[in-house]
Amino acid sequence: MKTKNVLDLTDLSHKELLDVIRLADEIRKKPSDYADACRGRILATLFYEPSTRTQMSFQTAMLRLGGTIIGFDNPQNSSVAKGESLKDTITVVGGYTDIIAIRHPMEGTAAAAAMYSPVPVVNAGDGGHLHPTQTLTDVVTLHNELGRLDNLTIGLCGDLKNGRTVHSLIKTMSTFKGNKFILISTPELTIPQYIKDIINASECTYEEISSLAEAMPNLDVLYMTRIQRERFASEEEYQKQHDVFILDKDKLKAAKKTMKILHPLPRVDEITVEVDYDERAKYFEQTVYGMYGRMALIMTMLEKGEKEFPSRVMPTHPFRCNNPKCITVTEKYLPGVFREAGGDMLICKYCDGRRLI
Ligand code: CP
């Protein structure tokens, strides 16, 4: 694999992604062939935010490959509680291990960690920004359940503003031809403009609507999402949104018999339990596909083997990111890092936030 880190799944070329998907399938069919694939290698899972699936599937993935794991699932039990910076934590953990999976509430954290890590970094979710290994989970599921990743009509429903799984999934599925995204949300929770720009620049299309029932008959895939309570400014704002879209048996009557229902989980109340018994519900199978996807990704990322220590030259930039949720707000030593977007516009390389020069 050309890239050292996976901050988003689009860091992989199409060929690299398809190779990982194929490897995940091979491992799923014959896991015993891979039981020693990562013998002697160590994965660190640094989870500054709660998780069930991502953390445990990374851990089981490494254990099933014969490797071992270290890490924390509560930074208050580490020296983060004493004020240790992200830079120092990553530098030290990178010295102990062979690969790091990191989840953090601030956007762009994985990109910041990658700047200082001598070992590959995987983004296990950075605030409301991106979640590439959930997308890997999703594409392994779609590849197995539908046999293709192109020319699909994909409904994405719920919190499209804060849902990092939605952002990463659209970015990756936009690289396949002919996909049509039906974006189903309230006006308050629509998809960020930069994601719409990515679709507009691709060979895919999108439509924004506010009715799940209206979208249902045309969908090949329905990707339901949780309203992200932890990303709201107030409980009052969350209460206005949390039960707007609920998938139940009745609504499913209008759907294609072949439609697949996905959800990154955890579910709260946006899918009723009765739907779990419908053949089209694939969200629990999805969690298992995700573990094999992570096994394949870990193996691929560890192919290179040797550590790459970061440059001793301290980077600087005159501008700071304006996004209040960007990691540069809380880790103030981080240099501004931008790419130019034409005109006076700069895009923050950590969090994709826009600012003018
Ligand atoms: N899908 C997902 O990221 O789940 P967890 O938050 O439980 O890891």
Side-chain angles (χ1 to χ4, degrees):
M1 205 168 94
K2 280 210 182 97
T3 176
K4 174 185 168 196
N5 307 296
V6 175
L7 309 179
D8 193 40
L9 208 55
T10 48
D11 292 340
L12 277 65
S13 68
H14 252 208
K15 183 185 175 313
E16 287 170 337
L17 175 59
L18 292 171
D19 284 349
V20 170
I21 294 171
R22 275 192 282 270
L23 179 57
D25 275 356
E26 281 174 28
I27 299 170
R28 183 171 57 84
K29 285 176 189 151
K30 211 150 181 251
S32 59
D33 280 2
Y34 300 88
D36 287 317
C38 288
R39 179 79 54 208
R41 315 304 287 279
I42 302 174
L43 163 75
T45 51
L46 306 183
F47 276 62
Y48 293 73
E49 240 192 3
S51 168
T52 297
R53 275 146 294 276
T54 312
Q55 183 190 208
M56 291 189 192
S57 66
F58 261 116
Q59 293 177 341
T60 47
M62 192 49 149
L63 294 170
R64 284 173 185 271
L65 292 168
T68 49
I69 53 170
I70 64 163
F72 56 72
D73 55 17
N74 178 357
Q76 291 309 309
N77 294 333
S78 78
S79 285
V80 175
K82 302 173 204 163
E84 186 160 65
S85 68
L86 179 75
K87 176 180 185 295
D88 292 0
T89 303
I90 292 296
T91 304
V92 171
V93 175
Y96 297 156
T97 62
D98 299 290
I99 183 167
I100 296 173
I102 183 166
R103 170 172 289 191
H104 197 284
M106 298 300 283
E107 299 178 7
T109 300
M115 275 177 57
Y116 301 112
S117 175
V119 299
V121 171
V122 194
N123 183 4
D126 58 334
H129 185 217
L130 296 168
H131 192 347
T133 61
Q134 180 58 50
T135 298
L136 179 60
T137 297
D138 303 338
V139 294
V140 171
T141 307
L142 292 176
H143 196 260
N144 273 280
E145 296 291 335
L146 289 168
R148 70 182 200 276
L149 296 173
D150 55 6
N151 296 302
L152 294 169
T153 300
I154 305 168
L156 298 113
C157 179
D159 191 345
L160 308 188
K161 178 183 174 194
N162 302 300
R164 57 195 174 195
T165 64
V166 169
H167 306 161
S168 277
L169 181 59
I170 293 178
K171 281 183 76 179
T172 291
M173 293 305 282
S174 296
T175 68
F176 292 88
K177 280 185 192 164
N179 287 321
K180 182 173 182 185
F181 303 104
I182 311 294
L183 306 173
I184 310 153
S185 75
T186 61
E188 292 83 2
L189 296 181
T190 55
I191 203 94
Q193 185 58 45
Y194 86 92
I195 298 289
K196 290 185 201 171
D197 294 343
I198 289 169
I199 306 173
N200 285 332
S202 75
E203 294 178 69
C204 299
T205 56
Y206 72 89
E207 191 183 324
E208 291 185 286
I209 64 170
S210 57
S211 163
L212 177 55
E214 195 186 309
M216 195 67 86
N218 301 316
L219 303 180
D220 299 312
V221 179
L222 173 58
Y223 196 87
M224 290 297 293
T225 63
R226 175 178 69 90
I227 304 300
Q228 306 267 303
R229 185 180 212 146
E230 65 277 25
R231 314 263 179 243
F232 279 72
S234 71
E235 178 63 19
E236 196 189 352
E237 282 177 48
Y238 167 74
Q239 287 302 334
K240 280 188 218 153
Q241 300 289 336
H242 84 98
D243 59 357
V244 176
F245 297 107
I246 294 180
L247 180 65
D248 58 19
K249 232 172 131 181
D250 229 36
K251 283 204 189 79
L252 270 180
K253 283 181 187 156
K256 291 180 187 173
K257 294 272 176 281
T258 53
M259 188 184 80
K260 307 297 172 199
I261 307 164
L262 271 59
H263 190 310
L265 304 178
R267 161 197 34 201
V268 183
D269 46 17
E270 60 280 356
I271 300 180
T272 61
V273 170
E274 62 192 4
V275 175
D276 300 357
Y277 299 90
D278 190 295
E279 284 292 325
R280 291 167 287 192
K282 296 294 172 191
Y283 32 90
F284 291 116
E285 285 91 334
Q286 198 180 341
T287 62
V288 181
Y289 284 126
M291 181 186 69
Y292 292 113
R294 289 182 175 102
M295 288 173 82
L297 186 67
I298 291 170
M299 276 181 64
T300 307
M301 291 181 76
L302 286 178
E303 266 165 11
K304 252 195 195 157
E306 73 275 17
K307 296 196 179 194
E308 277 175 40
F309 289 89
S311 154
R312 285 273 181 183
V313 181
M314 187 166 169
T316 56
H317 197 285
F319 295 115
R320 304 288 300 167
C321 181
N322 286 336
N323 173 8
K325 295 178 179 171
C326 180
I327 186 65
T328 55
V329 173
T330 48
E331 304 280 330
K332 295 196 187 303
Y333 55 86
L334 284 169
V337 186
F338 297 91
R339 60 177 179 273
E340 291 178 7
D344 289 345
M345 190 67 79
L346 294 176
I347 299 176
C348 175
K349 281 201 185 177
Y350 300 104
C351 73
D352 284 304
R354 266 65 173 159
R355 66 154 291 157
L356 293 173
I357 291 171

